[in-house]
Amino acid sequence: MARRATGARKIVVTLAAWAIGLAIFFPILWTILTSFKTEAEAIASPPSFLAFEWTLENYVEVNSRSDYFLHFMNSVIISLGSTLLGLLIAIPAAWSMAFVPAKRTKDILMWMLSTKMLPPVGVLVPIYLMFRDFGLLDTRIGLIVVLTLINLPIIVWMLFTYFKEIPGEILEAARMDGASLWDEVVHVLTPMAVPGIASTLLLNIILAWNEAFWTLNLTAAKAAPLTAFIASYSSPEGLFYAKLSAASTLAIAPILILGWFSQKQLVRGLTFGAVK
């Protein structure tokens, strides 16, 4: 009876997991399918799931109208640049909080996390004015800086939680062997924390890639990433659902591929990270 109950429970859990997974993935699947429809079929009621005339005209129109490669490279540079800069700042900060904690360390961590609760629109005007005065509007450097500051609390929290899992005795042994602070961080701690750093890097690349509010408000053309590429197909003339779906599919395809091949590292990062 116990084996039957266990087997039945596994089947129920598996079916429930597949159902939830399909429900989450369905909007993405529907976007991909809509990208192969004509505009008339995209707004037809009732909608057709697979029984429609498949076409590539939306992708041809999108690529002829917009410079996809420019937007793609902007997204790659901005997401990678902001994540790497955030890691350079967060690794020493997380190390000090994990292994040399002060009385206010927990308060500082909570304060950093509380900054994520502030609506971005609340600081849009001062940041926009500063970017205008420093000549950072519509520049990759400007977006790298602002996305680094936005995601820095998450990076610090994830690395802090991961560093806390590393036994302090290992660092004490390194100090007894004469390791300097630099050697301790670079040659001892960092190699041991590579899985946590990698998962943090992957997760924050995804967050930076999907950021829309700041990219739409601080860019125009030169530094516009794929989020602005998608938004360009929503105009006062109306919504062109098929072309908008084609642009969305081109924008999310790279990050979907990255997420598929790095899902184990992402799960590990969420397990040891800030949402543990």
Side-chain angles (χ1 to χ4, degrees), residues 114-138:
S114 69
T115 61
K116 296 294 296 179
M117 303 175 189
L118 176 68
V121 69
V123 292
L124 174 60
V125 172
I127 289 181
Y128 184 90
L129 295 177
M130 286 191 293
F131 269 52
R132 183 198 62 184
D133 295 340
F134 287 101
L136 294 175
L137 287 176
D138 201 18

Side-chain angles (χ1 to χ4, degrees), residues 71 137-139 143 215-225 228:
H71 294 87
L137 287 176
D138 201 18
T139 63
L143 283 179
T215 55
L216 292 177
N217 285 286
L218 299 179
T219 62
K222 296 179 181 179

Side-chain angles (χ1 to χ4, degrees), residues 23-38:
I24 294 173
F25 184 72
F26 183 77
I28 299 175
L29 176 61
W30 188 256
T31 299
I32 296 173
L33 291 175
T34 305
S35 68
F36 292 100
K37 298 179 180 180
T38 63

Side-chain angles (χ1 to χ4, degrees), residues 53-72:
E53 184 179 353
W54 294 62
T55 178
L56 294 175
E57 64 178 7
N58 298 311
Y59 290 95
V60 175
E61 176 67 21
V62 166
N63 283 284
S64 63
R65 172 179 166 180
S66 307
D67 190 348
Y68 171 77
F69 185 74
L70 172 63
H71 294 87
F72 172 77

